[in-house]
Amino acid sequence: MSGLVTAVSSNGEYSFTKPNRDSIRLLAGLGVEGDVHAGVTVKHRSRVAQDPTQPNLRQVHLMHEELFTEVGEEGFKVAPGELGENITTRGIDLLGLPVGTLLRIGDTAVLEVTGLRNPCIQIDNYQDGLLKRVVGRDEAGNVVRKAGIMSVVREGGVVRPGDTIEAELPTGPHRPLDRV
């Protein structure tokens, strides 16, 4: 399974959106260099308030560009970085990957998938009604989160738009993604 990086984004300040960059540098065990969410322990404000010693399983946020097309058909205009992701992708089923999948990006970077982004009300503050488009329910009534996946950096490196992404599935039984 493979895909492509279409945009990279980072922000050194707490802000919902992240400006696009020419490249980002991933730091092993930390996240995106200079990004407010980089670190060994949690950086997301609500999680810091719960327990600031929790490991940071949300070092790098990836989102599939196909979601922008999907919500665009419902009247929402979303561009890379605007929903807070660090890496925007195309052509790879991020939401279908199991926990522990390794994503090899560009020449040297390796991310390990930890789970799903749990979108919050900030998405509606950005565009009213958008939250219901990125979180819904399936036919069985189960919650479906479509706002991307979270990961940790196993091997650092520079990531740029145009880089390829190769997914390496874990061995053994696959665990479906859950919110982290």
Side-chain angles (χ1 to χ4, degrees), residues 7-28:
V8 293
S9 311
S10 67
N11 199 337
E13 300 176 13
Y14 279 105
S15 173
F16 182 68
T17 62
K18 295 185 184 220
N20 294 153
R21 309 286 183 194
D22 293 332
S23 66
I24 56 174
R25 179 175 301 281
L26 303 181
L27 304 174

Side-chain angles (χ1 to χ4, degrees), residues 49-168:
Q50 291 172 353
D51 177 4
T53 66
Q54 293 177 73
N56 188 2
L57 301 178
R58 300 166 56 102
Q59 293 174 356
V60 181
H61 176 200
L62 297 94
M63 187 175 294
H64 52 296
E65 188 176 71
E66 292 86 351
L67 179 64
F68 305 154
T69 303
E70 181 183 323
V71 299
E73 292 169 357
E74 299 178 34
F76 296 93
K77 185 176 180 203
V78 180
E82 291 183 351
L83 295 182
E85 77 277 9
N86 300 110
I87 300 174
T88 310
T89 69
R90 181 175 54 233
I92 185 168
D93 180 13
L94 296 176
L95 303 178
L97 298 172
V99 172
T101 298
L102 297 179
L103 298 174
R104 298 184 184 283
I105 305 175
D107 293 333
T108 60
V110 179
L111 299 176
E112 181 179 338
V113 176
T114 56
L116 295 168
R117 175 186 184 188
N118 190 30
C120 65
I121 193 67
Q122 288 186 48
I123 290 178
D124 267 352
N125 294 339
Y126 174 69
Q127 286 187 43
D128 191 42
L130 184 56
L131 182 60
K132 286 187 178 181
R133 302 302 182 264
V134 299
V135 179
R137 295 203 177 266
D138 64 15
E139 307 79 39
N142 300 310
V143 174
V144 176
R145 293 173 179 85
K146 299 190 258 182
I149 63 171
M150 307 308 287
S151 63
V152 295
V153 181
R154 291 296 175 220
E155 294 180 33
V158 174
V159 177
R160 296 177 180 85
D163 281 349
T164 58
I165 305 167
E166 295 294 331
E168 182 181 318

